[in-house]
């Protein structure tokens, strides 16, 4: 008896192709991954590595301070109360505050955002009270191992001295504003005068704030000169290197064993990466000085020189640029 032939099993229906990935969901996943890395509760978290340093903490507070300064300086808008009621309430004028900060040119009335801005500014000033030892270390390091170029050497030494002067004057003015010091009494004792019943220490305290900012301003100007000098030296070195390469090609020199052991393509690629990193670092320093330069002029004048919204915008941009460098370094 013949075997019964088995009928072929019906073929399974073809699976439908997977839907194309949603670009928005992909972007959201990338943002979520970055946020997990930012706020990870481990040593590998970016926030821990950034905030673990005094510079990273100051940069974070800087961004918050000047962003709030910008928001509190914006003119009132009728549509603000409808679209952003919380921000409208925070920027609405409230009762006067008794706390006054140095270099505060705002009217006696204040807002919730301005009060928070004042608190952040006071926090940064308090943290910078400990900034003298690192500046002294930087000065001694510059003295022991200065740059080879004579122009860069004098710039580095002058900037180190200006940074020290800036920090000393700022610390004196801040402690005087808190009542810890009495700069006016020091001046009276130096002149041998009796204590006056009227008048306060505002004149000497304000002078300390202004001259501190002027030292910062001079350091920023010198930083522009430093960047110009570094660019000129790099350009001259590049021209000299190209001339040596052209001379070697024309003379048909026999390549050495060390030059044969390394691939020219890999060497050129490494050089290009180094040049790109140097250019990025130089551009970042230039932008930082461009953002800070108007602020140094503003704080160097008793009545201010820059509109308050622009002050907030420039400070926030400088902080974001600095935080970007910290993020890249982690």
């Amino acid at each position: 008896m013949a075997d019964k032939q088995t009928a072929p099993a019906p073929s399974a229906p073809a699976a439908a192709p997977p839907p194309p990935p949603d670009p928005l969901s992909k972007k959201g996943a990338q943002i979520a991954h970055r946020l997990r890395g930012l706020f990870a509760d481990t040593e590998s978290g970016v926030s821990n590595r950034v905030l673990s340093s005094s510079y990273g903490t100051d940069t974070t507070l800087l961004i918050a301070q000047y962003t709030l300064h910008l928001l509190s300086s914006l003119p009132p808008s009728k549509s603000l109360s409808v679209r952003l009621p919380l921000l409208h309430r925070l920027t609405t004028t409230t009762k006067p505050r008794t706390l006054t900060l140095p270099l505060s040119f705002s009217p006696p009335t204040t807002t919730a955002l301005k009060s928070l801005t004042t608190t952040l500014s006071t926090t940064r000033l308090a943290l910078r009270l400990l900034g003298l030892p690192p500046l002294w270390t930087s000065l001694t390091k510059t003295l022991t191992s200065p740059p080879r170029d004579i122009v860069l050497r004098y710039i580095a030494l002058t900037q180190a001295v200006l940074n020290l002067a800036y920090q000393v004057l700022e610390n004196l003015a801040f402690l005087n504003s808190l009542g810890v010091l009495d700069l006016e009494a020091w001046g009276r004792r130096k002149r041998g005068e009796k204590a006056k019943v009227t008048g306060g220490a505002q004149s000497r305290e304000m002078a300390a704030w202004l001259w501190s900012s002027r030292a910062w301003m001079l350091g920023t100007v010198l930083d522009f000169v430093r960047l110009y000098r570094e660019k000129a030296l790099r350009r001259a070195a590049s021209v000299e290197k190209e001339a040596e390469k052209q001379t070697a090609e024309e003379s048909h020199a026999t390549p050495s064993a060390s030059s044969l052991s390394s691939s020219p393509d890999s060497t050129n690629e490494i050089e290009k990466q180094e040049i790109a990193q140097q250019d990025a670092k130089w551009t970042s320093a230039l932008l930082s000085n461009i953002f800070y330069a108007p602020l140094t002029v503003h704080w160097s004048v008793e009545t201010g020189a820059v509109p308050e919204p622009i002050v907030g915008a420039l400070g926030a941009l400088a902080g974001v640029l600095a935080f970007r460098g910290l993020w890249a370094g982690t």
Side-chain angles (χ1 to χ4, degrees):
M1 185 174 179
D3 293 337
K4 190 183 293 185
Q5 293 183 355
T6 305
S11 59
D22 187 5
L24 293 179
S25 62
K26 184 178 180 181
K27 188 68 175 178
Q30 293 177 354
I31 295 176
H33 178 71
R34 286 178 176 270
L35 289 177
R36 283 196 299 269
L38 175 62
F39 298 106
D41 190 19
T42 60
E43 293 184 358
S44 61
V46 177
S47 60
N48 291 339
R49 296 199 298 269
V50 170
L51 297 178
S52 61
S53 64
S54 58
Y55 179 70
T57 302
D58 183 74
T59 301
T60 305
L61 294 175
L62 170 69
I63 297 174
Q65 173 193 342
Y66 278 100
T67 301
L68 295 176
H69 186 99
L70 171 62
L71 294 176
S72 62
S73 303
L74 294 176
S77 174
K78 293 181 179 180
S79 61
L80 185 63
S81 59
V82 179
R83 298 180 181 178
L84 298 173
L86 177 60
L87 182 59
H88 174 71
R89 184 174 65 83
L90 292 175
T91 55
T92 303
T93 303
T94 59
K95 63 180 181 179
R97 298 293 196 266
T98 56
L99 176 63
T100 57
L101 260 191
L103 292 182
S104 179
F105 310 117
S106 57
T109 56
T110 184
T111 64
L113 285 182
K114 287 183 178 179
S115 298
L116 184 55
T117 303
T118 298
T119 303
L120 292 175
S121 177
T122 306
T123 303
R124 294 183 61 224
L125 288 169
L127 291 175
R128 286 205 297 269
L129 287 173
L130 304 176
L132 282 176
L135 293 177
W136 178 259
T137 303
S138 176
L139 176 60
T140 55
K141 183 178 179 181
T142 305
L143 289 172
T144 54
S145 57
R148 294 182 179 179
D149 183 69
I150 186 66
V151 177
L152 295 179
R153 185 183 309 167
Y154 283 116
I155 290 176
L157 289 173
T158 307
Q159 281 185 317
V161 173
L162 288 173
N163 289 337
L164 271 176
Y166 158 78
Q167 196 59 66
V168 168
L169 291 171
E170 182 186 79
N171 289 353
L172 290 175
F174 180 57
L175 293 175
N176 188 86
S177 69
L178 297 177
V180 178
L181 301 178
D182 190 351
L183 297 180
E184 192 68 18
W186 288 3
R188 289 195 299 266
R189 285 196 296 268
K190 185 177 180 180
R191 296 189 301 267
E193 299 176 0
K194 295 181 179 180
K196 298 179 181 179
V197 178
T198 60
Q202 288 294 327
S203 58
R204 286 186 174 273
E205 178 186 327
M206 181 61 68
W209 286 113
L210 294 177
W211 282 106
S212 171
S213 299
R214 288 163 188 168
W216 178 25
M217 179 179 63
L218 291 176
T220 304
V221 172
L222 287 177
D223 220 37
F224 279 112
V225 180
R226 175 186 67 83
L227 292 173
Y228 176 80
R229 180 63 176 176
E230 288 180 352
K231 192 73 171 180
L233 291 175
R234 286 177 54 193
R235 189 182 298 113
S238 177
V239 171
E240 183 179 358
K241 188 174 182 180
E242 288 294 330
E244 291 178 355
K245 185 187 295 185
Q246 204 170 24
T247 303
E249 291 176 355
E250 291 176 355
S251 61
H252 301 286
T254 303
S256 60
S258 60
S259 62
L260 290 175
S261 60
S262 60
S263 173
D265 294 337
S266 62
T267 304
N268 292 336
E269 189 65 26
I270 294 175
E271 290 179 356
K272 289 180 181 179
Q273 291 178 358
E274 291 178 353
I275 293 175
Q277 291 176 357
Q278 292 175 357
D279 290 340
K281 185 178 180 181
W282 187 91
T283 304
S284 178
L286 178 64
L287 290 175
S288 178
N289 286 331
I290 291 175
F291 293 148
Y292 275 125
L295 299 181
T296 62
V297 177
H298 177 76
W299 299 123
S300 298
V301 183
E302 186 172 355
T303 56
V306 181
E308 295 301 327
I310 298 180
V311 170
L314 290 174
L317 288 173
V320 170
L321 184 65
F323 192 86
R324 184 168 172 253
L326 288 172
W327 183 294
T330 58

